[in-house]
Amino acid sequence: MTSVLEQLRAMTVVVADTGEVAAVKRYEPVDCTTNPSLVLAASKDPASEELIAREIAAGRAKGLTPEQITATLTVAVGAELTKLVPGRVSTEVDACLSFDTQASVARAHDIVADYAARGVDKSRILIKLASTWEGIRAAEILQKEGIDCNLTLLFSMAQAVACADAGAFLISPFVGRITDWYKAAEGVEGYAPDEDPGVKSVRKIYDYYKSNGIATVVMGASFRNAGQIKALAGCDNLTIAPALLDELSRDEAELPRVLSPDATSGMAPITMDEATFRWELNADAMATEKLAEGIRKFDADHRKLIELVAAR
């Protein structure tokens, strides 16, 4: 029997939501991700430990500060991952820059330059930015320069529309975090896949994009269970953590295709300017809270990584 993971790969680009070298080697995804949170996790992975130790030692020898070494670490891990995947490695702009367009663009340029110095062309990476208004504007600038972007921490249609208008290469709507919020708000243990608020959000965004011929890639992210993944089979991309990749690889059930560009509702285009974006985001308590929380958590992990580097 063919596993659910193999069936999924026939209709969706499978991305590994990990920076661990061993996991990427095992599951052979098309794309993968690196950010401070994942580098923190990878620091406990024996296959990544030597690389991280070597990068810290090299930075120390150059007289770099812990902050500067941390800035190169995600790129160092990403460069190693480009040797293992045929596609792209998403690399995150510091979360603390999420409300500063020009600083985000400058940091993205530094990331691209660091990759280039390691022999990795910009065509192999995606610059990952939070889907704030300022982050989306940074992506618009970078896309016009030929630097492809992944807009992350996306929880609402307003964000998805603004990202499409900016010409973003890819968006990462966070399925599980949406579900987490609604479970807490509604006091329920969980949802059937077709009724899951996170699943429904990605399905609506996918339908809007395909209905309007929008080329931006939709990559569902932040999954809590395999049912959510199965309910989005056929989505352009899905980024999946190693534990769920393993579960899908052992599941031999039949996987029907759920999403297809040939089956859309014909949703009308939506006009999105800054005032509308900010109002609609403000009106959506879930999106507002999860975006702010996500930025805080990414920044906290960034600071933890700096502390780890300083300690070494």
Side-chain angles (χ1 to χ4, degrees):
M1 292 289 290
T2 305
S3 72
V4 167
L5 182 57
E6 289 307 311
Q7 294 175 70
L8 184 65
R9 281 178 165 146
M11 60 184 92
T12 291
V13 174
V14 173
V15 178
D17 194 7
T18 180
E20 295 180 14
V21 171
V24 173
K25 286 180 177 178
R26 179 177 179 185
Y27 297 108
E28 300 180 337
V30 174
D31 297 338
C32 57
T33 297
T34 179
N35 61 35
S37 306
L38 295 174
V39 173
L40 270 175
S43 68
K44 301 167 188 172
D45 167 36
S48 304
E49 171 60 27
E50 183 183 347
L51 167 68
I52 292 171
R54 188 169 66 241
E55 192 67 23
I56 291 174
R60 190 170 60 238
K62 294 176 185 174
L64 300 182
T65 65
E67 290 81 2
Q68 290 170 321
I69 295 172
T70 300
T72 72
L73 258 181
T74 51
V75 176
V77 172
E80 189 67 21
L81 293 173
T82 62
K83 301 172 186 175
L84 304 177
V85 298
R88 311 257 195 154
V89 175
S90 288
T91 305
E92 189 173 292
V93 166
D94 308 4
C96 62
L97 304 179
S98 295
F99 301 100
D100 189 330
T101 295
Q102 293 307 318
S104 292
V105 170
R107 175 69 181 122
H109 287 160
D110 288 344
I111 290 170
V112 171
D114 196 349
Y115 270 112
R118 299 169 192 269
V120 179
D121 187 74
K122 65 182 180 181
S123 63
R124 297 295 315 282
I125 63 173
L126 294 175
I127 295 296
K128 201 170 181 183
L129 297 147
S131 298
T132 57
W133 182 258
E134 294 81 5
I136 294 168
R137 297 283 67 78
E140 184 174 40
I141 293 167
L142 293 165
Q143 289 289 162
K144 288 176 180 175
E145 296 175 353
I147 299 171
D148 289 334
C149 297
N150 170 354
L151 273 295
T152 189
L153 293 175
L154 193 147
F155 303 99
S156 69
M157 181 60 78
Q159 290 171 296
V161 172
C163 289
D165 291 348
F169 180 84
L170 180 147
I171 61 167
S172 299
F174 274 32
V175 177
R177 296 195 194 187
I178 293 173
T179 305
D180 293 345
W181 191 92
Y182 279 101
K183 282 171 62 178
E186 297 178 354
V188 299
E189 291 296 316
Y191 302 91
D194 288 343
E195 298 304 317
D196 188 301
V199 169
K200 290 166 73 174
S201 177
V202 176
R203 287 181 177 179
K204 185 176 179 181
I205 291 167
Y206 179 92
D207 184 27
Y208 176 77
Y209 276 22
K210 303 312 175 190
S211 292
N212 290 280
I214 294 165
T216 300
V217 174
V218 180
M219 182 171 76
S222 166
F223 292 105
R224 298 295 181 255
N225 57 67
Q228 292 175 327
I229 296 168
K230 294 178 181 180
L232 292 172
C235 192
D236 299 330
N237 293 20
L238 297 174
T239 181
I240 306 170
L244 288 172
L245 287 171
D246 186 57
E247 182 179 341
L248 295 171
S249 71
R250 291 183 281 104
D251 186 346
E252 295 187 344
E254 184 177 352
L255 180 67
R257 182 167 191 144
V258 180
L259 299 179
S260 169
D262 300 322
T264 62
S265 68
M267 290 176 70
I270 298 171
T271 301
M272 187 62 59
D273 57 16
E274 181 178 358
T276 304
F277 175 90
R278 294 194 185 282
W279 176 254
E280 292 196 3
L281 194 61
N282 180 74
D284 187 335
M286 177 276 296
T288 297
E289 291 172 22
K290 298 310 287 187
L291 174 60
E293 178 190 71
I295 290 170
R296 288 195 302 270
K297 285 184 174 180
F298 279 158
D299 182 56
D301 282 343
H302 183 227
R303 285 185 278 109
K304 284 179 189 174
L305 189 57
I306 292 171
E307 290 170 7
L308 174 73
V309 170
R312 292 192 181 183

